[in-house]
């Protein structure tokens, strides 16, 4: 486990090759039930370069009306499929949080896709960390402070890596500068998949 910044923890190769292949299979079923869609920027309607879907009770969507969580797929209207068990186990092992994740955002990056610097702040609960899992081609991941102007640094994320950001890093700006094509054989078409698990609502207080 590597901690490049307070609250940021990298677990290189957390998922071995067999576990990565099993995750890709599980994601095929997710995408069959909840097809990939192209999110759009609020207001401008400009399309993201990644395609997305979700699993879990809640899914994150973005369109001209804004960013939000919703219980149904924006195109099909169907509830999101369940989060694969292997991801729930990873959350239990790495998140150090007493309640399960409610949302798993699936970002699919073609070789030219990227993700601008942003904060994850559409959740009600910032006590839970973000758990991010990388599959397929490596990427140059950029991570900064909690203000847009703070210094940033970049490091590579590889297939099978798990990353948590919580505590002082929970609201840190982050993004993906670029995909490094040809760095993984996991996905036949190349490209990268990122899975972001999040707790959205505050868990009910424990009784007793
Ligand atoms: C995201 O912040 O939504 C995605 C990050 C990543 O692809 O690693
Ligand atoms: Mn994010």
């Amino acid at each position: 486990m590597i901690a490049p910044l307070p609250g940021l923890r990298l677990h290189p190769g957390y998922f071995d090759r067999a576990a990565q292949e099993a995750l890709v299979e599980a994601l095929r079923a997710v995408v069959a039930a909840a097809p990939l869609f192209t999110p759009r920027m609020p207001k401008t309607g400009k399309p993201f370069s990644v395609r997305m879907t979700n699993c879990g009770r809640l899914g994150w969507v973005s369109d001209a009306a804004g960013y939000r969580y919703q219980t149904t797929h924006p195109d099909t209207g169907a509830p999101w499929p369940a989060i694969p068990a292997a991801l729930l186990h990873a959350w239990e092992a790495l998140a150090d949080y007493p309640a399960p994740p409610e949302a798993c955002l699936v970002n699919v990056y073609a070789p030219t896709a990227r993700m601008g610097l942003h904060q994850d702040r559409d959740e009600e609960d910032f006590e839970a960390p973000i758990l991010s899992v990388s599959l397929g081609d490596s990427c140059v991941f950029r991570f900064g402070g909690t203000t847009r102007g703070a210094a940033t640094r970049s490091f590579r994320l590889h297939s099978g890596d798990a990353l948590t950001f919580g505590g002082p890093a929970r609201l840190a700006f982050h993004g993906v500068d670029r995909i490094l094509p040809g760095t993984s054989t996991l996905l036949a078409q190349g490209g990268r998949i990122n899975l972001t698990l999040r707790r959205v609502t505050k868990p009910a207080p424990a009784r007793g």
Side-chain angles (χ1 to χ4, degrees), residues 9 29 133 153 180:
R9 293 207 176 104
V133 175
R153 51 188 280 193
L180 302 168

Side-chain angles (χ1 to χ4, degrees), residues 12-38:
Y14 181 79
F15 291 95
D16 66 15
R17 176 71 185 214
Q20 293 171 41
E21 287 172 1
L23 265 179
V24 171
E25 273 312 301
L27 290 171
R28 274 188 224 292
V30 165
V31 170
L36 293 171
F37 58 92
T38 299

Side-chain angles (χ1 to χ4, degrees), residues 118 120 174 198:
H118 66 277
D120 285 11
H174 59 278
R198 305 189 187 112

Side-chain angles (χ1 to χ4, degrees), residues 32-125:
L36 293 171
F37 58 92
T38 299
R40 293 182 173 272
M41 290 298 286
K43 294 190 189 128
T44 63
K46 187 171 176 274
F48 284 41
S49 62
V50 295
R51 290 182 303 152
M52 283 181 182
T53 191
N54 289 273
C55 45
R57 190 176 75 75
L58 294 170
W60 187 87
V61 300
S62 178
D63 59 22
Y67 305 131
R68 63 190 174 278
Y69 282 96
Q70 60 183 45
T71 55
T72 55
H73 190 286
D75 298 333
T76 68
W80 304 105
I83 299 176
L87 294 172
L88 296 175
H89 293 150
W91 175 273
E92 280 167 24
L94 303 178
D96 190 22
Y97 189 73
E102 293 169 299
C104 174
L105 173 64
V106 180
N107 284 312
V108 178
Y109 293 78
T112 55
R114 55 185 295 280
M115 173 86 65
L117 269 190
H118 66 277
Q119 291 172 296
D120 285 11
R121 54 177 315 142
D122 299 317
E123 300 72 36
E124 185 185 299
D125 187 1

